[in-house]
Amino acid sequence: MSAIYLLRKISTKTPTRFHRSLFFSTFSKESPPDLSRTTSIRHLSSQRFVPSSIYRFPQSKILPNRKFSTSVETNSSDKSFERIHVQSGAILERIHKNEGEGEETVSKVNVETERVVREESEAEKEAWRILENAVVRYCGSPVGTVAANDPGDKMPLNYDQVFIRDFVPSALAFLLKGEGDIVRNFLLHTLQLQSWEKTVDCYSPGQGLMPASFKVRTVALDENTTEEVLDPDFGESAIGRVAPVDSGLWWIILLRAYGKITGDFSLQERIDVQTGIKLIMNLCLADGFDMFPTLLVTDGSCMIDRRMGIHGHPLEIQSLFYSALRCSREMLSVNDSSKNLVRAINNRLSALSFHIREYYWVDIKKINEIYRYKTEEYSTDATNKFNIYPEQIPPWLMDWIPEQGGYLLGNLQPAHMDFRFFTLGNFWSIVSSLATPKQNEAILNLIEAKWDDIIGNMPLKICYPALEYDDWRIITGSDPKNTPWSYHNSGSWPTLLWQFTLACMKMGRPELAEKALAVAEKRLLADRWPEYYDTRSGKFIGKQSRLYQTWTVAGFLTSKLLLANPEMASLLFWEEDYELLDICACGLRKSDRKKCSRVAAKTQILVR
Ligand code: GLC
């Protein structure tokens, strides 16, 4: 019996420097790392790295016994769900089991038996080579992939770091190939970073925040000894000091995907992992001044991590938030200490989907309604609730919106609708069933109708259309990287392919994804896997685009693997949850004199 202890120091105060030292692993240049110490944080599988092919974890053993928290329990008046209280001090947890019995590492993926064996194209073979090369090791174990590995790049900035969001397609490619260890290591190490000391000019953001990225640094202790350190960036070094709101949401989404694909649910059941989920959820669900169920964030808090006019309630964050809420609802074990949180999650899921379905949806009919809106309505049952002035409808939209199809707005605030089409947010609304089944269909119809604008010569436009002239000057702050039709300002990002593939597969339209993938495959290998493409139709490699960008490579591979393994793909999306539709947290009943505004509004949009 061998035991490795995980020491996780969680305090209600901001963690101190002491925490940092716990993450150091000391070893000399001559001798291998000291694997026997039990007093410092163990680097989990790094200390017990066993070729993963030895281990199997039969899915059938685990699946039937799972206890999900998906049954709906709500409480209309209980907005102040319980805050997680973690006592100052350490939680000691034993994590490894019987040595020799082959049970301690369960991250070998169970897909091998189900995987369709097919001939790989040249592009795929090269992509795997690049992806393997991008792997970052910490104390000898794989923990992530660098953002880019461009040999010609003399100024990699932070592209040599492991980004949380960038690692997701890499993780899925590895999982779908049958390699789970790197994903498990990544999830556990980033979980540790969650309680890291983080300050920007003496201010500490909320506990539970996940970093945007991290780097493995080798620090010299003396002439002969070095130590490896995980060095996270929570935005304190990032350009523009943007807060990585999406990181924690992606972490939760990946944690669920890991369980679903490997069948190893023991990871998500661990106390420290459960605490990690709760901390992220608590941060997102904390009460504030918000009037809407959407998450209020600053500009640049997601994949678009520079100023692009997406502060407030951008769709990308809302759809990832909704997905993370659904994941958490599945993964949280229900007990006395979690039941209030689960209830808060259910209430938020219901309110959020209603809000997005009702107020973010645009199609030709809705635009015509907005065009004729009355303004300055002071009442609880106003039609134009957000006081949108019809003059806001941009001239491009009137011509662009097809007869068939529609999409979810980029952002909604008082007196402001951002009519740009944001790709990632619309895809995740499909994948997570944030939008209605009809709306999901319509989003794909719009993409088909507007193929040249959204796919063109390289899938996929990050948003459409570009901000130009004064809009570009004022909204981006004259950002030379985000000039019209470049980078975040309507550049084309091949990494988005895997998310498009998932959305198409969910809607039973894989041929759309195949068509887009074929467009990409024609160029990516020859163009050396650029980060993004420029111009209206995505014709040119991006002005400042990195080459050998890992999530371009991984997005391509993951798309291929998903298309080849539809059963695996189906583990990664959600169907409509009819139970959620019936929750209403406002407490007003049909018979009440004052009617619930949601019940009234349901007549206008097709919820089901
Ligand atoms: C850029 C992108 C961001 C990505 C990072 C690493 O900053 O805007 O989304 O995570 O590069 O690739």
Side-chain angles (χ1 to χ4, degrees):
M1 189 87 149
S2 96
I4 291 180
Y5 292 95
L6 170 71
L7 176 67
R8 181 141 191 260
K9 175 105 177 160
I10 303 169
S11 116
T12 43
K13 289 182 279 175
T14 309
T16 63
R17 283 273 159 204
F18 170 66
H19 292 78
R20 245 171 195 237
S21 63
L22 291 173
F23 285 77
F24 291 176
S25 121
T26 307
F27 59 95
S28 78
K29 281 174 185 148
E30 286 78 43
S31 59
D34 168 15
L35 304 186
S36 60
R37 287 185 319 165
T38 53
T39 48
S40 71
I41 293 250
R42 290 290 100 208
H43 303 287
L44 308 182
S45 13
S46 69
Q47 308 300 340
R48 308 188 42 81
F49 192 60
V50 192
S52 53
S53 56
I54 300 172
Y55 299 107
R56 291 282 186 287
F57 205 78
Q59 215 155 0
S60 54
K61 263 195 195 166
I62 320 161
L63 290 172
N65 301 326
R66 294 275 304 138
K67 188 182 171 207
F68 295 123
S69 60
T70 48
S71 66
V72 175
E73 200 195 325
T74 59
N75 181 339
S76 55
S77 58
D78 186 9
K79 270 192 83 191
S80 55
F81 59 90
E82 166 217 45
R83 303 268 172 261
I84 291 163
H85 178 72
V86 186
Q87 281 189 328
S88 289
I91 298 170
L92 267 177
E93 192 195 341
R94 203 166 206 171
I95 58 164
H96 284 296
K97 291 184 246 152
N98 298 344
E99 202 174 35
E101 288 177 32
E103 280 184 13
E104 72 275 56
T105 301
V106 286
S107 49
K108 175 63 185 172
V109 180
N110 203 23
V111 294
E112 248 160 47
T113 45
E114 307 192 22
R115 207 152 31 103
V116 179
V117 181
R118 48 179 193 96
E119 186 65 32
E120 282 179 342
S121 66
E122 277 315 303
E124 279 170 273
K125 284 183 194 148
E126 174 68 356
W128 275 117
R129 202 188 55 73
I130 298 168
L131 188 60
E132 301 288 352
N133 252 338
V135 169
V136 171
R137 290 179 174 272
Y138 178 51
C139 298
S141 291
V143 291
T145 48
V146 285
N149 223 342
D150 184 349
D153 186 4
K154 300 283 171 283
M155 281 246 298
L157 298 173
N158 52 356
Y159 281 81
D160 59 355
Q161 304 207 3
V162 180
F163 277 75
I164 310 298
R165 71 176 76 86
D166 292 42
F167 182 66
V168 175
S170 298
L172 292 175
F174 285 123
L175 287 173
L176 292 167
K177 192 182 175 210
E179 289 174 21
D181 280 348
I182 184 169
V183 182
R184 184 184 167 91
N185 294 344
F186 169 88
L187 288 166
L188 287 171
H189 284 298
T190 44
L191 175 68
Q192 300 298 339
L193 299 178
Q194 193 186 33
S195 343
W196 211 263
E197 177 186 18
K198 46 205 175 232
T199 48
V200 179
D201 299 337
C202 306
Y203 177 74
S204 302
Q207 218 193 358
L209 186 73
M210 283 276 181
S213 61
F214 68 86
K215 192 176 166 64
V216 178
R217 294 190 194 281
T218 304
V219 182
L221 285 182
D222 56 44
E223 271 180 22
N224 299 318
T225 323
T226 58
E227 59 186 9
E228 281 193 344
V229 187
L230 285 185
D231 190 5
D233 178 5
F234 289 93
E236 74 274 18
S237 322
I239 296 165
R241 302 291 184 266
V242 281
V245 178
D246 66 339
S247 288
L249 307 175
W250 278 121
W251 184 86
I252 289 179
I253 293 168
L254 184 59
L255 177 66
R256 173 187 181 266
Y258 170 86
K260 284 281 187 181
I261 297 178
T262 62
D264 170 16
F265 294 105
S266 65
L267 184 69
Q268 53 184 254
E269 282 161 2
R270 284 170 46 146
I271 293 171
D272 54 346
V273 175
Q274 287 277 316
T275 306
I277 302 172
K278 289 176 188 169
L279 287 175
I280 298 170
M281 281 293 114
N282 269 343
L283 198 55
C284 294
L285 294 170
D287 292 335
F289 291 106
D290 310 349
M291 296 297 287
F292 311 139
T294 35
L295 201 59
L296 180 62
V297 298
T298 55
D299 216 339
S301 57
C302 52
M303 174 186 183
I304 297 178
D305 54 359
R306 295 165 84 90
R307 202 175 132 188
M308 266 295 288
I310 55 163
H311 50 276
H313 305 97
L315 180 67
E316 173 160 344
I317 288 292
Q318 312 316 323
S319 62
L320 293 175
F321 179 35
Y322 187 80
S323 308
L325 285 165
R326 286 200 75 166
C327 294
S328 304
R329 182 169 176 253
E330 271 180 48
M331 293 189 295
L332 280 174
S333 0
V334 195
N335 51 41
D336 280 351
S337 75
S338 68
K339 65 175 195 294
N340 290 342
L341 178 61
V342 171
R343 186 181 300 137
I345 288 174
N346 280 325
N347 284 341
R348 193 61 169 259
L349 274 166
S350 158
L352 183 58
S353 70
F354 173 80
H355 185 86
I356 297 281
R357 290 165 177 210
E358 180 78 6
Y359 305 123
Y360 277 59
W361 183 249
V362 274
D363 54 14
I364 198 157
K365 182 166 163 270
K366 181 71 179 286
I367 294 170
N368 208 160
E369 267 168 38
I370 301 171
Y371 185 69
R372 292 164 51 78
Y373 264 169
K374 291 190 181 48
T375 57
E376 321 294 338
E377 292 174 282
Y378 179 83
S379 81
T380 48
D381 50 9
T383 311
N384 182 5
K385 286 202 173 60
F386 305 96
N387 200 31
I388 305 297
Y389 299 106
E391 290 73 13
Q392 257 178 56
I393 302 175
W396 65 264
L397 184 62
M398 307 285 250
D399 299 330
W400 192 72
I401 193 80
E403 288 288 334
Q404 303 295 322
Y407 66 100
L408 295 167
L409 286 173
N411 206 342
L412 176 66
Q413 316 246 55
H416 173 67
M417 277 183 171
D418 183 343
F419 287 96
R420 283 175 291 170
F421 172 83
F422 283 86
T423 309
L424 194 154
N426 273 283
F427 291 167
W428 275 90
S429 302
I430 297 177
V431 169
S432 63
S433 281
L434 170 58
T436 70
K438 285 216 162 174
Q439 289 172 341
N440 290 339
E441 279 286 343
I443 295 170
L444 289 188
N445 290 342
L446 176 119
I447 291 177
E448 212 179 359
K450 295 290 160 187
W451 191 264
D452 291 344
D453 291 330
I454 294 173
I455 311 277
N457 291 298
M458 178 53 67
L460 281 135
K461 276 253 142 32
I462 195 166
C463 62
Y464 181 91
L467 296 170
E468 297 184 284
Y469 311 108
D470 274 357
D471 281 347
W472 166 76
R473 201 173 50 75
I474 296 163
I475 297 174
T476 74
S478 305
D479 185 344
K481 206 167 172 182
N482 275 335
T483 50
W485 309 102
S486 180
Y487 200 51
H488 300 139
N489 191 6
S490 287
S492 301
W493 291 67
T495 187
L496 293 170
L497 256 175
W498 75 269
Q499 323 195 34
F500 181 49
T501 303
L502 202 52
C504 292
M505 291 181 82
K506 169 170 170 190
M507 300 311 295
R509 296 172 76 178
E511 69 291 345
L512 278 184
E514 275 157 9
K515 197 169 138 201
L517 193 56
V519 174
E521 188 155 12
K522 260 197 266 156
R523 296 190 58 186
L524 287 180
L525 176 65
D527 290 350
R528 292 173 291 166
W529 312 94
E531 180 186 14
Y532 66 97
Y533 286 72
D534 284 354
T535 74
R536 258 175 194 275
S537 66
K539 208 184 266 174
F540 294 108
I541 297 174
K543 217 175 1 181
Q544 293 188 39
S545 172
R546 256 68 192 181
L547 300 179
Y548 301 103
Q549 180 81 19
T550 308
W551 69 353
T552 298
V553 172
F556 167 76
L557 285 174
T558 298
S559 288
K560 286 266 178 184
L561 289 163
L562 289 171
L563 284 164
N565 297 281
E567 308 78 34
M568 289 294 137
S570 69
L571 298 175
L572 302 176
F573 51 71
W574 293 261
E575 296 303 336
E576 179 78 303
D577 185 331
Y578 291 101
E579 253 188 353
L580 279 175
L581 295 181
D582 294 328
I583 302 175
C584 184
C586 75
L588 294 171
R589 287 179 309 273
K590 277 203 185 108
S591 54
D592 288 347
R593 201 165 52 86
K594 203 170 156 224
K595 291 271 176 298
C596 163
S597 60
R598 279 178 44 169
V599 172
K602 262 186 202 169
T603 54
Q604 288 163 34
I605 64 151
L606 198 59
V607 176
R608 297 188 184 201

